[in-house]
Amino acid sequence: MKTLSERTLGLAEREALEALQNAPVTILQIGEGNFLRGFVDWMIQSCRAQGLYAGSIAVTQPRPEGKAKIDQLARQDGLYTLVTQGLENGAPVSRKETIQVFSHVFDPYSEWARLRDIAVSADLQVVVSNTTEAGIVYRPEELTDGPILSYPGKLAFLLHERFQAFQGAPDKGLVLLPCELLERNGDALKQVVLRYAEDWNFPEAFKTWVAEHNRFLNSLVDRIVTGYPEEARAEAWFAEWGYRDAMLCTAEPYHLWAIEAEPEMEALLPLRKAGLNVHWTDDLKPYQQRKVRILNGAHTWMSPIGILHGVEHVRELLEHPVLGAEVRRTVLEEIVPSLPYDAEELRGYAASVFDRFGNPYIRHRLADIAMNSISKFNARLLPSIRSYGESGKLVPIGLALSLAGLLRYYKIEKQADGTYAGTSLEGLPYAVRDDARVLERLAGHWVRQSSEQRELGDVVSGLLADAELWGTDMSVWQDLNQSVTREIERMERGGRDV
Ligand SMILES: NC(=O)c1ccc[n+]([C@@H]2O[C@H](COP(=O)([O-])OP(=O)(O)OC[C@H]3O[C@@H](n4cnc5c(N)ncnc54)[C@H](O)[C@@H]3O)[C@@H](O)[C@H]2O)c1
Ligand SMILES: O=P(O)(O)OC[C@@H](O)[C@@H](O)[C@H](O)[C@H](O)CO
C-alpha cells in the first residue's frame, strides 16, 4: 500500500498543494509534535480552506531527536491526516482531513541556512512553537554561526539576524505564539530569549527592538490531541483509505485558544473569522486557572492513582466505581471551591471536561499523562492544596489522596539500565519517566524507609518537607502528613478499591 504523499492526492488536492508550495512563508513553526499538528495547523488549514489565509507554514523540529518525524513528514510532502472524533453537542462526529499547510519541512540542524533565510524574510509574521514545558528553559550555550541547540537560543539568534537584516525596522518585528502549557508562556519565552541576548553580547538596540517591536503573546491552549492511534485502529483506517500515514494524528472536536491580545490581531490570524473557538482577551488568568486546575488537575489526580490500581486509560478511570466517583467529587467539592470564580460556571466547565474525558473514540493513556508528574502536580494540583494549607484549613481528603497517590507512585528504584520503576498495588512493575534529578531524589527518600527501617509517616514527612521537589514545605500544613500517610496505608490494604 502507498504512503500518503502528493501522489496519493486527487487532482483538486494536488492543485491546492502546488498553490501552497508557492505561497509565502508567513508562519515559522518550531515543533513537529502531535499537539501543534492537531491544533494550530488544523486551524490554519481551516482559514486557508475558507480563503481567509494565503500564507503557508515552514516547520522544523526543536531538538535533534525530532529528526525522524520531520524526515517522515518531508517524505509525505508535508501532508498528514487528522481524524477528529467525539461528541459535538451530544452527537457523535468523525471527521477525516488531509492537512495541507506546510510549504517547507526540514531539519534545522542540517539545513541551518534555510532556517536563517526564512527568519530574515519580509513575508514572515508569526512564530508558533510547542516544545513541551521543558523546551522554554535557559541552558547556557556558546554563540556560534549555528545551528543553535535550544529553542529559545535559536529564536534569539534568528531574531538577531532579522534585526540586522532590516536594520531594526519597527515594522519587521514578529508575533511569537508559544503554545507550551506554561503560565504566561509568551513572557517566559521573551525572558529566556533576552537572557541569551545578554550572554551573547547582542547590542542594547537589539534588546530594545525585541522588547518593543516583537509581540510575545501569552496564550492558553485546550484540546485533547491523542496523536497516533492504536495499531489496530490505524490499520483499519489505512485499509479503508487505501494509503498509509505514519504521521496520522487523532484529536477530540473541542478546542479553545485564549490569546492575550487585542481582537485586531485577526488581521494577521483570522481565526475567529474562520469560526474557530479563539478568544482574544486582555486577561488570560481566569482561562488559565480554570483549565489547569480543573482539566489538567483531574488528569494528574488520576494518572498515578490509576496506574497503581492497574487502570490504563482516562475513560476507564472515570468508569471505575470508586476512583471515577472520587475524581469527580474532588474536582466539584474541593478544587472548584478553591478557585476565585463563579462556582456555577466552574461546575459547568467541570461537567464538560468529564464529558470530554468520556469520549468513547479516544483512548488517552494514563502512562502518557503521568510523564513528568512532579512538575505537573506542582502546576496543576498543588495550588488547590496550597489554598487550603496556607489559610490554615485542613486539606480535604480528595486532594490529600492525590498527593498520597503521587508519592506512592514515585516509590521507585533505579534499574540496571538506569531507568526507574515502581510496583503497582497488585505487584506489577511500571516505568516512571521524569527529570533525572527528580527521580533520584524521590528514590532516595524511599530507599531510606527500608535501609533505615523508618516508619511510613517519617518518610512522608521527609517527602512533604522537601522544598526542592515542590518549591514549598508542605509538611507544615495542618494534618497533611497524617492524612497522606493514612491514604497510602489504606491504598496498600486495598481499602478504597473494594
Ligand atoms: N497532546 C495534548 O492533548 C496537548 C494539549 C494541550 C497542550 N499540550 C502541550 O503540548 C506538549 C506536547 O505535546 P504533544 O502531544 O505534541 O507531544 P509530542 O511528543 O508529540 O511532541 C513533543 C514536542 O516537543 C519537543 N520536545 C520534547 N522535549 C523537548 C525539550 N526538552 N526541548 C525542546 N523540545 C522538546 C519534541 O521534539 C516535539 O516537537 C505537552 O507537553 C503539553 O504541554 C498537549
Ligand atoms: O500534554 P501534557 O503531557 O503536558 O499533559 C497531559 C494532559 O493533561 C494534557 O495534554 C491535556 O490533555 C491537555 O492539556 C488538554 O488541553
Side-chain angles (χ1 to χ4, degrees):
M1 198 185 291
K2 287 186 183 141
T3 295
L4 174 66
S5 74
E6 186 178 352
R7 284 173 303 127
T8 58
L9 297 179
L11 186 61
E13 281 181 318
R14 211 176 301 173
E15 280 172 7
L17 184 62
E18 203 179 308
L20 173 78
Q21 283 159 349
N22 293 317
V25 175
T26 47
I27 302 176
L28 171 62
Q29 174 170 322
I30 309 290
E32 78 298 348
N34 293 318
F35 182 73
L36 286 177
R37 287 186 296 111
F39 189 78
V40 177
D41 300 327
W42 164 80
M43 289 190 178
I44 298 299
Q45 162 106 341
S46 176
C47 294
R48 282 185 57 83
Q50 296 174 66
L52 296 169
Y53 199 74
S56 72
I57 304 178
V59 59
T60 69
Q61 87 276 19
R63 54 180 187 160
E65 289 90 330
K67 183 170 166 30
K69 270 198 169 180
I70 273 290
D71 288 350
Q72 179 62 36
L73 191 57
R75 278 196 294 279
Q76 297 189 186
D77 299 318
L79 303 169
Y80 65 94
T81 317
L82 179 70
V83 178
T84 309
Q85 286 188 307
L87 301 176
E88 220 168 44
N89 305 319
V93 296
S94 178
R95 280 189 292 267
K96 167 194 174 244
E97 292 164 89
T98 306
I99 306 291
Q100 306 193 13
V101 291
F102 299 133
S103 55
H104 296 249
V105 182
F106 63 97
D107 166 29
Y109 299 95
S110 54
E111 293 193 74
W112 183 250
R114 188 170 173 191
L115 181 60
R116 188 204 161 273
D117 288 350
I118 290 171
V120 301
S121 140
D123 293 327
L124 188 68
Q125 297 171 329
V126 177
V127 179
V128 294
S129 64
N130 197 349
T131 58
T132 77
E133 292 87 327
I136 302 190
V137 289
Y138 168 75
R139 285 213 180 81
E141 199 176 337
E142 283 287 300
L143 173 63
T144 62
D145 286 340
I148 303 288
L149 192 62
S150 74
Y151 165 49
K154 278 189 195 70
L155 194 57
F157 180 97
L158 295 172
L159 284 173
H160 186 244
E161 294 288 298
R162 188 171 178 88
F163 169 80
Q164 288 181 315
F166 295 109
Q167 286 119 37
D171 64 340
K172 290 296 185 292
L174 298 174
V175 169
L176 293 307
L177 252 174
C179 296
E180 287 79 357
L181 269 187
L182 286 173
E183 210 170 320
R184 305 201 65 76
N185 44 15
D187 293 347
L189 179 60
K190 180 175 176 178
Q191 206 181 25
V192 186
V193 165
L194 288 173
R195 193 147 176 207
Y196 282 105
E198 194 70 41
D199 277 8
W200 295 339
N201 293 319
F202 288 159
E204 281 308 313
F206 167 69
K207 291 181 221 161
T208 308
W209 179 79
V210 168
E212 291 180 4
H213 302 300
N214 289 266
R215 299 278 309 269
F216 290 76
L217 301 184
N218 297 303
S219 78
L220 184 269
V221 296
D222 190 0
R223 181 174 232 193
I224 298 173
V225 177
T226 35
Y228 197 86
E230 304 136 58
E231 216 44 60
R233 185 176 295 197
E235 289 303 324
W237 281 338
F238 298 156
E240 184 187 327
W241 306 337
Y243 64 80
R244 309 185 67 78
D245 180 358
M247 299 302 291
L248 167 62
C249 188
T250 56
E252 64 169 344
Y254 179 90
H255 64 280
L256 164 72
W257 197 358
I259 308 175
E260 212 171 68
E262 60 290 353
E264 287 71 26
M265 273 284 163
E266 284 274 314
L268 208 64
L269 293 168
L271 303 167
R272 278 186 77 80
K273 210 168 175 186
L276 297 161
N277 188 24
V278 171
H279 294 209
W280 304 102
T281 174
D282 58 6
D283 187 7
L284 198 62
K285 199 170 174 184
Y287 291 96
Q288 181 96 33
Q289 285 197 330
R290 189 182 73 160
K291 190 237 170 183
V292 172
R293 303 260 295 261
I294 293 181
L295 185 153
N296 298 111
H299 263 166
T300 294
W301 188 101
M302 63 174 79
S303 310
I305 296 179
I307 292 167
L308 287 172
H309 287 82
V311 179
E312 279 186 47
H313 298 101
V314 171
R315 185 157 68 97
E316 200 185 330
L317 187 125
L318 278 191
E319 287 165 0
H320 188 283
V322 177
L323 299 175
E326 189 59 21
V327 68
R328 286 174 201 266
R329 197 198 58 73
T330 303
V331 168
L332 294 170
E333 295 177 15
E334 302 181 9
I335 296 179
V336 163
S338 77
L339 283 163
Y341 306 113
D342 180 66
E344 205 46 49
E345 195 274 328
L346 293 175
R347 278 195 288 271
Y349 177 74
S352 73
V353 164
F354 291 127
D355 284 350
R356 291 167 63 194
F357 285 175
N359 184 341
Y361 302 100
I362 59 177
R363 283 163 71 80
H364 203 175
R365 282 164 43 86
L366 296 179
D368 290 341
I369 300 171
M371 186 165 106
N372 299 332
S373 273
I374 297 296
S375 61
K376 286 178 184 168
F377 172 84
N378 289 341
R380 301 169 173 197
L381 288 162
L382 181 57
S384 300
I385 295 182
R386 183 195 295 278
S387 79
Y388 290 96
E390 281 187 350
S391 54
K393 295 183 191 149
L394 271 184
V395 174
I397 191 68
L399 286 169
L401 175 59
S402 77
L403 183 53
L406 183 83
L407 297 186
R408 173 57 182 78
Y409 174 77
Y410 277 90
K411 184 174 181 183
I412 45 176
E413 281 179 22
K414 195 169 189 173
Q415 308 299 294
D417 63 359
T419 62
Y420 286 81
T423 308
S424 78
L425 299 171
E426 291 153 347
L428 297 172
Y430 55 82
V432 175
R433 292 173 294 159
D434 210 314
D435 180 84
R437 272 170 307 190
V438 163
L439 291 169
E440 199 180 323
R441 217 172 165 84
L442 281 148
H445 277 282
W446 282 108
V447 88
R448 286 196 282 279
Q449 187 185 21
S450 43
S451 64
E452 297 167 19
Q453 304 217 316
R454 295 173 70 184
E455 296 288 329
L456 177 62
D458 292 341
V459 178
V460 169
S461 356
L463 279 159
L464 297 196
D466 190 342
E468 283 283 315
L469 289 170
W470 325 110
T472 194
D473 177 355
M474 288 196 280
S475 69
V476 298
W477 294 337
Q478 203 197 131
D479 288 347
L480 188 59
N481 285 355
Q482 289 89 323
S483 50
V484 168
T485 306
R486 200 170 48 238
E487 286 308 316
I488 297 179
E489 285 168 349
R490 211 194 302 240
M491 250 185 271
E492 298 283 9
R493 287 197 308 268
R496 280 188 163 255
D497 190 21
V498 285

